[in-house]
Amino acid sequence: MIRLPLLALLLILPAIGPRAVADDNVAAVQWDMDTLHQPPAMKWLDDSSPIRSLLYEGEPYRGQTTDVYAIYATPGSISGDPSKDHDLPAVVLVHGGGGTAFPQWVWQWAKRGYAAIAMDLSGRRSAAPEFDPQTGELIVIARTRQIPRSRLERGGPEQGHPEKFDSVGGTLEDDWPYHAVASVIRAHSLIRSFEEVDAERTAVTGISWGGYLTCIVASRDDRFKAAAPVYGCGFLYDGESVQRPLIDRLPADKRAEWIRRYDPSAHLSDCTVPILFVNGSNDVHYPLPSYMRSYELVPGEKQLRIEVGMRHSHEAGFVPEEIGLFFDQHLRGGTPLPKLTPPVVDGNRVTVSCESELPIRSAKLHYTTDGGILSKRSWQSVDAAVGEDGEITAEIPADATVCLIAVRDERNALVSSEVIFPGEGE
């Protein structure tokens, strides 16, 4: 029998260990939001290059105040025309594991018309970006892990597994998630304070661990007008997430504390910021069942973009044009992405309704008939029927184990339905 998405998720992901509920509301109060909402002390390292660099104050670590390294770009700074820099929308960019403040990322967003800030969350600073002397264009280091970086004298905790997991318990000062969330919110407060930025039009996006942080930050800092976690989600302690063994090896009391403090499932039910979840069908770090459980928690406006076969990397996370369209929609009055209603399953037929201001270019049912580890399954696609009333229908193959409907509008913008798990947990 076909099961609806939420029921299927509950069946295939039974609760194990502590529930992701914050005892005494610790998830909501562990950060001093009044302090974090104030612009942090900062100093420019370079205030004249197309991509500028700075240090701002972070949370205390090992008995001293920390510095956080960040880079910043605007339409005016990259073009040499300061007249472009007024009433700008702004975006906060959050890197993932092994990442840093990526010059190509702030460059990409400044070209789109945004003020953009990206910070390093490992207590380091990256090498100054270089520019073509003839064209003025940024010289991109294609492999992001090869960007040189050095340890700050007053840097915060590293971003390795011991700092992410093992440090939990006792003081918060040695917990990387505590520092990282605070550093992202401080960057938001800082960019809001810049005179060229419209403080009421800001967004946040992050990749992998940066997507994980985006889920928490968007749930705790409601000043954002839009958010887009790429890959990142909650329920890392359950299912097939590669982070689960690292959480499970913690002593029981520390495991419970990590979940109630730092798993995004303890936060997303407070998220009122419009949020676009971006992931791939086979992601090993943030698998679809955990992803959909996280999506279900959000009470406010939310959408999905699930791409079959999307790679997991910073480079792949820079690409989705839908993130820019989603932010334009909420910050600049841009044309909205198509919106799909939750799927209705009747027998083997699935139906969703699509609301779109632009013509729909294609509609597909993506599905897999494989079992076993989700990240290793092969996917297939068939056309779905699009009615004149915007109703989209498709037949789910009898042996399908996971499926979803995806549509593209005339811009080729991709959005997805909630994921259905018809063949799981039977």
Side-chain angles (χ1 to χ4, degrees), residues 349-352 363-365 382-388 390-395 405:
R349 177 176 289 268
V350 57
T351 303
V352 301
K364 300 280 187 181
L365 176 77
V382 295
D383 289 334
V386 182
E388 293 183 2
E391 188 171 89
I392 298 172
T393 58
E395 294 293 325
I405 284 179

Side-chain angles (χ1 to χ4, degrees), residues 76-406:
S77 74
I78 67 169
S79 66
D81 181 0
S83 69
K84 295 182 177 181
D85 287 349
H86 59 88
D87 300 321
L88 295 174
V91 62
V92 178
L93 306 171
V94 191
H95 69 77
T100 186
F102 292 120
Q104 60 265 53
W105 210 5
V106 296
W107 185 269
Q108 169 186 325
W109 281 94
K111 280 201 162 186
R112 193 177 186 94
Y114 285 71
I117 190 168
M119 77 301 297
D120 183 285
L121 297 173
S122 67
R124 288 176 167 75
R125 64 176 292 178
S126 50
E130 298 182 2
F131 304 90
D132 187 295
Q134 303 300 319
T135 65
E137 289 288 310
L138 174 69
I139 297 174
V140 175
I141 298 177
R143 294 184 63 83
T144 55
R145 287 183 178 269
Q146 295 178 353
I147 295 176
R149 59 202 79 172
S150 57
R151 182 75 185 168
L152 292 170
E153 182 180 349
R154 299 197 308 170
E158 299 278 357
Q159 58 170 335
H161 291 151
E163 294 79 17
K164 287 174 178 170
F165 300 106
D166 300 347
S167 65
V168 71
T171 177
L172 301 178
E173 284 195 8
D174 59 353
D175 295 355
W176 178 86
Y178 173 78
H179 277 263
V181 168
S183 293
V184 175
I185 297 174
R186 286 178 183 267
H188 185 209
S189 297
L190 180 61
I191 201 171
R192 283 168 55 95
S193 74
F194 292 160
E195 62 180 5
E196 62 271 18
V197 168
D198 179 351
E200 298 307 314
R201 293 192 295 144
T202 59
V204 59
T205 184
I207 296 171
S208 193
W209 275 105
Y212 155 93
L213 292 171
T214 298
C215 289
I216 299 176
V217 167
S219 301
R220 304 270 66 96
D221 188 351
D222 62 4
R223 298 173 299 171
F224 287 109
K225 296 301 186 289
V230 183
Y231 314 118
C233 71
F235 297 98
L236 302 186
Y237 61 91
D238 207 348
E240 297 176 5
S241 167
V242 298
Q243 287 85 15
R244 178 179 173 180
L246 298 166
I247 300 169
D248 283 350
R249 76 181 184 190
L250 295 172
D253 58 337
K254 288 191 171 185
R255 181 180 183 275
E257 184 168 358
W258 194 93
I259 292 169
R260 71 173 179 258
R261 285 189 182 277
Y262 300 134
D263 192 89
S265 61
H267 299 271
L268 283 166
S269 59
D270 292 330
C271 183
T272 58
V273 174
I275 188 167
L276 172 68
F277 287 86
V278 178
N279 202 358
S281 58
N282 295 71
D283 199 82
V284 67
H285 299 275
Y286 303 95
L288 286 182
S290 297
Y291 213 69
M292 290 311 305
R293 290 180 78 188
S294 301
Y295 176 87
E296 292 279 354
L297 288 177
V298 175
E301 181 179 345
K302 55 191 175 182
Q303 287 187 262
L304 285 162
R305 179 200 184 273
I306 307 298
E307 178 184 342
V308 172
M310 181 180 180
R311 295 184 302 110
H312 186 107
S313 68
H314 282 109
E315 294 84 352
F318 295 156
V319 170
E321 182 67 13
E322 293 80 5
I323 299 171
L325 296 174
F326 188 72
F327 288 179
D328 286 350
Q329 170 186 339
H330 290 283
L331 276 62
R332 306 169 85 178
T335 302
L337 293 173
K339 195 156 191 175
L340 302 179
T341 60
V344 175
V345 180
D346 183 8
N348 281 347
R349 177 176 289 268
V350 57
T351 303
V352 301
S353 293
C354 178
E355 179 182 331
S356 179
E357 292 187 12
L358 299 175
I360 296 301
R361 172 177 165 181
S362 68
K364 300 280 187 181
L365 176 77
H366 301 303
Y367 68 96
T368 176
T369 60
D370 294 346
I373 301 298
L374 285 157
S375 62
K376 298 185 181 298
R377 300 189 193 186
S378 297
W379 286 70
Q380 304 174 61
S381 301
V382 295
D383 289 334
V386 182
E388 293 183 2
D389 58 356
E391 188 171 89
I392 298 172
T393 58
E395 294 293 325
I396 301 174
D399 55 351
T401 53
V402 186
C403 63
L404 60 92
I405 284 179

